[in-house]
Amino acid sequence: MKVCVFLSAADLDERYVRPAREFAEMLGKGGHTLVWGGSDTGLMKVVADGVRETGGRLAGVSVEFLRSWAREDAEEMAFAKDLAERKALLLAGSDAVVVMAGGLGTLDELTEILELRKHGLHTKPVVLLNAAGFYDGLILQLRRMEEEGFLPRSVDDLVFTTDQGAAALTYIEETTTLREEV
């Protein structure tokens, strides 16, 4: 399975690094491919290292203006002309999406993926890996949007939220298997 992970390229506190590393190691041990932004810095590097060290594959999609940050030993590395093309390539090249702690770019990626899912433009499972309660405020806002009629589908139908990497991986493996059987 090819799992797209949206996350920060910044160096972060251990409360975000540890769960990211644990999830990456489970992904690699499962023989899965990490599809990610391609950077060899910060949390992106942590996850890529964890997948690589435990037997998984790396498929990066970077952008031209970040070429110097790209990981050199990925099995696949593409360079998009801009961030919009990068998001489209990341989604197209994956079977599931996991969102970890990140900044504005990660928030942009998450909201676009949810908007596309809301409109039925993709049916891939989406997981919000809410390490250290990082996304608690966003989850509260999404619930409010649902309750006040701004979302035509329930939040739970759009995204599975957990703070446990094992639960995230189980969800995407089971959901992807169900999609393949249909």
Side-chain angles (χ1 to χ4, degrees):
M1 176 173 53
K2 294 179 179 181
V3 180
C4 175
V5 178
F6 291 122
L7 69 168
S8 179
D11 292 322
L12 300 172
D13 187 91
E14 186 63 21
R15 63 188 167 164
Y16 305 116
V17 170
R18 183 184 35 76
R21 184 182 303 118
E22 289 170 359
F23 179 79
E25 290 172 357
M26 287 185 276
L27 205 60
K29 287 176 186 173
H32 302 299
T33 298
L34 170 67
V35 180
W36 93 117
S39 290
D40 201 26
T41 61
L43 201 57
M44 284 192 188
K45 178 178 178 20
V46 168
V47 171
D49 286 349
V51 169
R52 167 56 52 79
E53 291 165 6
T54 55
R57 296 184 72 247
L58 303 177
V61 181
S62 188
V63 284
E64 285 299 334
F65 71 88
L66 295 176
R67 185 178 279 271
S68 64
W69 290 15
R71 187 169 179 121
E72 294 183 7
D73 67 344
E75 283 81 5
E76 301 173 40
M77 183 62 70
F79 292 93
K81 67 180 184 291
D82 57 33
L83 294 171
E85 181 183 41
R86 179 194 204 184
K87 285 185 290 190
L89 291 171
L90 286 164
L91 182 61
S94 62
D95 302 307
V97 176
V98 174
V99 180
M100 295 183 183
L104 290 175
T106 305
L107 184 60
D108 172 59
E109 292 157 344
L110 171 63
T111 56
E112 181 164 335
I113 294 302
L114 293 181
E115 183 70 7
L116 292 170
R117 188 165 163 85
K118 178 185 90 176
H119 290 292
L121 298 174
H122 82 84
T123 59
K124 297 172 185 185
V126 179
V127 175
L128 192 58
L129 190 52
N130 190 27
F134 184 77
Y135 285 111
D136 287 352
L138 178 61
I139 294 163
L140 183 65
Q141 181 63 42
L142 291 171
R143 296 263 180 235
R144 181 176 181 184
M145 290 172 159
E146 178 183 355
E147 291 165 6
E148 295 189 18
F150 291 93
L151 295 178
R153 296 171 65 179
S154 77
V155 171
D156 294 331
D157 187 37
L158 295 173
V159 61
F160 175 75
T161 303
T162 182
D163 62 356
Q164 300 296 313
L169 187 57
T170 298
Y171 176 80
I172 61 176
E173 286 175 338
E174 289 176 354
T175 308
T176 302
T177 301
L178 289 174
R179 285 179 57 238
E180 290 171 357
E181 292 174 358
V182 173

